[in-house]
Amino acid sequence: MRIFALNFMIFVLCACTTPDLPIKIKFSHVVAEHTPKGMGALLFKQRVETRLAGKVVVEVYPNSQLYDDNKVMEALLLGDIQMAAPSLAKFGKYTKKLQVFDLPFLFNDIEAVNRFQQGEMGQHLLLSMERYGYLGLAYWHNGLKQLSANYPLHVPADAQGLKFRIQQSHVLQAQFEVLGASPQKLAFSEVYNALQTGIVDGQENTWSNIESKKFYEVQHYFSETNHGVLDYLVVTNAKFWHGLPPEIRVELADILSEVTVAVNQKALNLARTARQKIIDFGIKTDRTHVLQLTKEDLAQWRQAMQPVWDKFEHEIGKAVIEAGVAAN
Ligand code: LMR
């Protein structure tokens, strides 16, 4: 009788803690499907539904169909979605440390970004939002950012007095303020319209985002500055993740590692082809010009933006910034 009662209790306990199968993962993001993140989310879905068939299904919602990035984190906590991958610029509410990725001219190239992300400090930062209930699972590349405006931007003085759209980030705000420009925080879904109607004069983003959202149709000049990085943190609700049956969690983590490698390889190619498409559009229409900056011009941008590092050192932490520098 006692054994029966014990077995019954174990059965009830398991029934309560094991989620119903298939487990549904809703993955929400704001970019187009033919971008590093868009392709990564779809590849994740494809591999999960092959290797965990009947156990896990993944629904991907691109193009801000479900949420803008300022709502997506709340949705994760509420359990309305289970995965997202906002840009690293958008976590300032939950951790100041990830702001390191927004520091202008911190990383020389995407390989340095990768070394930092995969190194000890980068891996440690995945856990920097635990107390808010979020868990970073992986970093995905998009690429380096370029500046654009309806006026040619060769040197920092050219940006003075212009309005630029920025992501939700105090660091990016400071980056434009030190130029004497006026930064405006807008959701990604609002950028095209803001550029078209003149709410802002310019913006900064990666070649892939500029091309996939057709910002080149509403901007005359692109300056190839590579002045900062726009990458992603694949993030989940920590309680959801730790509540998954262990064998499913391990398999999901394995798939995510493989997808991360694929996304990061793809990102570089996508940046190249997107850049070329914009150049070709410019040649065809004479409406868009990609400006190559000289070494001297770039040195001016670097110097003009440098005060931002000091301003945020106390929030980000000296050790985190030093690890970023060392990755070069
Ligand atoms: C932006 O808001 O410009 C980006 O964060 C969009 C994205 O997800 O790449």
Side-chain angles (χ1 to χ4, degrees):
M1 185 64 191
R2 259 183 158 178
I3 290 187
F4 171 77
L6 194 68
N7 280 344
F8 182 71
M9 265 172 64
I10 291 172
F11 170 77
V12 170
L13 213 67
C14 290
C16 291
T17 53
T18 307
D20 290 340
L21 297 182
I23 295 160
K24 192 189 276 187
I25 296 182
K26 287 187 175 181
F27 191 139
S28 166
H29 68 82
V30 299
V31 292
E33 289 185 330
H34 62 289
T35 57
K37 179 162 60 182
M39 294 175 74
L42 287 177
L43 184 61
F44 178 71
K45 171 183 169 66
Q46 205 182 67
R47 298 223 172 145
V48 168
E49 291 183 354
T50 307
R51 295 200 342 225
L52 290 167
K55 294 184 183 159
V56 182
V57 289
V58 180
E59 291 176 0
V60 179
Y61 297 90
N63 290 313
S64 315
Q65 254 170 44
L66 272 192
Y67 299 105
D68 271 334
D69 278 336
N70 50 358
K71 288 273 157 45
V72 85
M73 294 298 280
E74 217 174 287
L76 261 182
L77 268 198
L78 292 173
D80 291 342
I81 59 161
Q82 288 67 38
M83 280 172 83
S87 123
L88 288 159
K90 294 177 178 168
F91 295 99
K93 243 166 109 177
Y94 310 103
T95 171
K96 299 293 174 210
K97 293 197 165 73
L98 288 174
Q99 295 183 128
V100 68
F101 288 100
D102 285 346
L103 289 180
F105 293 102
L106 173 60
F107 299 106
N108 291 344
D109 48 33
I110 203 75
E111 286 76 25
V113 177
N114 204 50
R115 281 192 291 276
F116 177 73
Q117 291 173 346
Q118 302 314 322
E120 201 180 320
M121 185 60 84
Q123 292 300 299
H124 174 68
L125 294 184
L126 291 176
L127 308 176
S128 59
M129 296 184 290
E130 258 185 328
R131 70 191 174 110
Y132 290 98
Y134 300 112
L135 181 66
L137 296 172
Y139 296 103
W140 283 357
H141 293 328
N142 183 323
L144 298 179
K145 290 181 292 184
Q146 319 302 333
L147 278 175
S148 74
N150 278 333
Y151 308 90
L153 304 174
H154 291 285
V155 291
D158 298 332
Q160 212 170 355
L162 300 186
K163 286 180 272 171
F164 286 88
R165 178 270 170 173
I166 56 164
Q167 305 175 79
Q168 287 289 335
S169 154
H170 293 319
V171 178
L172 299 179
Q173 182 178 346
Q175 174 193 277
F176 282 99
E177 283 171 352
V178 294
L179 300 176
S182 166
Q184 318 261 329
K185 291 179 183 146
L186 290 174
F188 187 57
S189 57
E190 296 166 6
V191 181
Y192 185 95
N193 190 47
L195 293 169
Q196 190 177 38
T197 56
I199 291 172
V200 289
D201 304 297
Q203 61 86 48
E204 54 162 21
N205 222 309
T206 61
W207 289 124
S208 146
N209 280 351
I210 290 164
E211 189 274 325
S212 57
K213 290 295 176 188
K214 299 192 169 22
F215 296 165
Y216 59 85
E217 290 179 351
V218 285
Q219 290 281 265
H220 294 316
Y221 297 97
F222 289 87
S223 304
E224 194 155 25
T225 47
N226 291 314
H227 64 280
V229 62
L230 194 158
D231 269 12
Y232 304 112
L233 185 71
V234 183
V235 65
T236 188
N237 178 321
K239 209 161 145 201
F240 161 77
W241 188 254
H242 295 305
L244 289 169
E247 68 287 359
I248 290 185
R249 189 170 58 240
V250 168
E251 188 66 3
L252 287 174
D254 280 352
I255 293 171
L256 203 52
S257 303
E258 294 168 18
V259 172
T260 298
V261 173
V263 168
N264 290 352
Q265 278 170 357
K266 195 95 196 159
L268 217 54
N269 287 341
L270 281 173
R272 271 191 215 113
T273 49
R275 175 180 175 275
Q276 194 54 46
K277 274 190 192 166
I278 295 163
I279 292 174
D280 293 346
F281 176 83
I283 293 170
K284 215 166 91 191
T285 62
D286 203 28
R287 273 171 38 198
T288 300
H289 307 276
V290 175
L291 310 174
Q292 307 296 326
L293 303 191
T294 64
K295 258 193 179 158
E296 292 72 27
D297 293 342
L298 280 170
Q300 279 200 46
W301 287 99
R302 184 186 277 267
Q303 198 186 359
M305 291 176 172
Q306 188 64 34
V308 177
W309 288 36
D310 285 345
K311 188 167 161 56
F312 287 90
E313 187 184 288
H314 69 287
E315 286 188 10
I316 297 169
K318 205 170 178 200
V320 181
I321 298 177
E322 278 172 2
V325 173
N328 288 315

